Amino acid sequence: MSQDRKAQEINRVWWNERAGFHLETAFYQNFKRRLDDGGHALLRREVEELGDISGLDVLHVQCHVGTDTLSLVRLGANATGIDFSPVAIEKARNLAETLGIPSRFEQAEIGSLSARFGPQFDLVFTSYGVLSWLPNLSLWAHNIAGCLRPGGRFYIIEGHPLAYAIADNANIEGGTLELEYPYLAQPNPQPFIGSGSYADRERATTANDTREWSWGLGDITNALMEAGLQLRWLREHPEGFCPIHPAMKKCDDGHYRLPAPIHGRFPMTFSIMADKLSNTKIR
């Protein structure tokens, strides 16, 4: 088994455990309440940047427990969610059945998407906390392109590489931003050991070992362009989607922000919209 495959199997065990309890956490209960009330769980920025998706066939890559996939359906799309975690897919299917939201969820590896689905989607969507789990961005980008119809779109909103580089013990409240982890791609994934998750830092867990990859914005955009996708725009945002650092606080709009005077000075997330041109040939 290759080093990357071993790392992914370690990560799968980690994600299986988190998927088992995430819908019970306050973080995800908030999303579930919004779905229960007939709405959606997406943040305002995603909705605004996606625009009208009514009637579109959408593939949600790395969908986890399905709250965003079901939100895409609530916004009018025909959505399919995929994830490498069988527990996540089971939870997503159960949630969809409980809510009565028509959708499809399948366990799948990133490298199999193009062969498995082919160019049958108008939009591929992925969001938040997805890229650090991928050992090969070229494989990722080519499979995304292979799932899009000519003229289809790819949209990603994700934690900014700079945000993931912030030191755990950075004195943000004191007005400084300290970096500890790599921003640029490294030869090997970074090992981490820690209990809990972004949804519940205090949760007692048993699978606490992960391997994560760092990717700079250049790595991400070049991978997409090399796969034949044309960037429509790249945007950087000062708000986060979860408390990447304990000093970040949730605001009324659902986003997490750094405290003053740091907020607004550094990017916490970025988003990209890219198009598959009609003459694109996938290698």
Side-chain angles (χ1 to χ4, degrees), residues 10-191:
I10 290 171
N11 291 341
R12 195 193 312 270
V13 173
W14 191 93
W15 276 108
N16 280 341
E17 182 175 10
R18 273 70 185 172
F21 68 79
H22 267 176
L23 285 173
E24 304 167 7
T25 65
F27 186 85
Y28 276 93
Q29 281 291 307
N30 176 56
F31 300 145
K32 188 173 180 296
R33 276 193 300 272
R34 290 157 66 178
L35 289 165
D36 284 336
D37 292 340
H40 62 80
L42 297 182
L43 294 172
R44 184 176 61 192
R45 173 161 290 120
E46 293 102 87
V47 176
E48 291 175 350
E49 292 188 331
L50 282 171
D52 184 8
I53 60 172
S54 299
L56 298 186
D57 295 320
V58 180
L59 178 65
H60 182 188
V61 178
Q62 294 166 274
C63 69
H64 194 39
V65 293
T67 52
D68 280 2
T69 317
L70 300 180
S71 297
L72 295 170
V73 177
R74 281 278 169 79
L75 291 172
N78 307 306
T80 297
I82 69 98
D83 199 278
F84 81 149
S85 164
V87 178
I89 292 301
E90 179 185 6
K91 293 292 184 180
R93 288 172 176 167
N94 291 341
L95 182 62
E97 183 177 0
T98 299
L99 295 171
I101 300 177
S103 52
R104 178 172 58 156
F105 291 98
E106 297 187 21
Q107 183 186 356
E109 304 288 337
I110 296 292
S112 72
L113 297 184
S114 181
R116 183 165 179 170
F117 295 110
Q120 62 173 281
F121 295 100
D122 304 301
L123 172 70
V124 174
F125 171 93
T126 191
S127 67
Y128 300 130
V130 292
L131 295 183
S132 63
W133 306 99
L134 302 179
N136 188 324
L137 283 193
S138 178
L139 182 68
W140 167 77
H142 277 86
N143 274 274
I144 285 169
C147 290
L148 284 170
R149 295 174 175 133
R153 295 180 291 155
F154 170 64
Y155 175 78
I156 180 172
I157 186 160
E158 169 65 299
H160 199 284
L162 180 66
Y164 289 135
I166 298 174
D168 293 332
N169 60 352
N171 182 24
I172 290 177
E173 291 89 344
T176 61
L177 190 68
E178 302 167 49
L179 304 183
E180 177 181 3
Y181 300 108
Y183 175 102
L184 298 175
Q186 301 297 299
N188 298 302
Q190 181 88 18

Side-chain angles (χ1 to χ4, degrees), residues 213-232:
W213 288 264
S214 56
W215 302 110
L217 283 183
D219 299 312
I220 299 162
T221 54
N222 286 332
L224 294 170
M225 290 188 292
E226 288 166 5
L229 299 176
Q230 183 177 75
L231 267 64
R232 188 182 300 185

